[in-house]
Amino acid sequence: DNLELVVALVLLVCYAAACRRMARAKDEIRTTLEDFNIDACQCFDERDRPVVYWNIALLMHAHLNLPKETTQKEALAKFEELVKTILPVAFNRSLGHGNIPYKFVAIVCVITWIPRAIDNFACHVEDGKPVKYYLLSWGLVSVFVATPAA
């Protein structure tokens, strides 16, 4: 019975650590996109940079219908602006929340733990075992379900 509690707590901590790692990675990518600077980008071969810039400027002229007199520098600035404003939003939408929504986790916990908790409590009382372990495990689950992660 205590082994089940230990296993559940270990799995919960592992899940929380994985979610935290994923949230940090997503935040780092979002920050990188919001701070995008085309001049700081790395080219495999620096001799390709003028060609890449020319292609980006050409794409921006076609995509945004920029006037023909728009310079390459202005077109690249528009590209940077698009990357900084549109890509972070698109990135977040494409990945979704990345985690199971909290309300679903809470519902699953309540549905699975309440019947089990009632059975365990009845067994503890009937067998005369200390109820403190039962109360501790139920208390931990209650705190997890009652307090969503920020």
Side-chain angles (χ1 to χ4, degrees), residues 55-67:
N55 283 329
I56 291 172
L58 189 64
L59 174 70
M60 296 311 294
H61 277 281
H63 179 68
L64 297 177
N65 293 324
L66 297 176

Side-chain angles (χ1 to χ4, degrees), residues 97-150:
H97 293 292
N99 300 323
I100 302 169
Y102 178 77
K103 64 182 175 183
F104 297 133
V105 173
I107 290 169
V108 168
C109 286
V110 168
I111 289 173
T112 58
W113 280 83
I114 286 181
R116 184 180 200 140
I118 292 169
D119 287 344
N120 284 344
F121 183 72
C123 290
H124 277 23
V125 170
E126 186 176 291
D127 294 343
K129 293 180 181 175
V131 180
K132 65 182 177 180
Y133 296 112
Y134 162 79
L135 293 177
L136 175 65
S137 66
W138 184 243
L140 289 172
V141 171
S142 300
V143 167
F144 171 71
V145 171
T147 55

Side-chain angles (χ1 to χ4, degrees), residues 38-53:
I38 195 159
D39 293 324
C41 292
Q42 296 177 353
C43 282
F44 180 75
D45 186 346
E46 276 301 317
R47 294 175 293 180
D48 292 338
R49 188 174 293 275
V51 175
V52 171
Y53 282 5

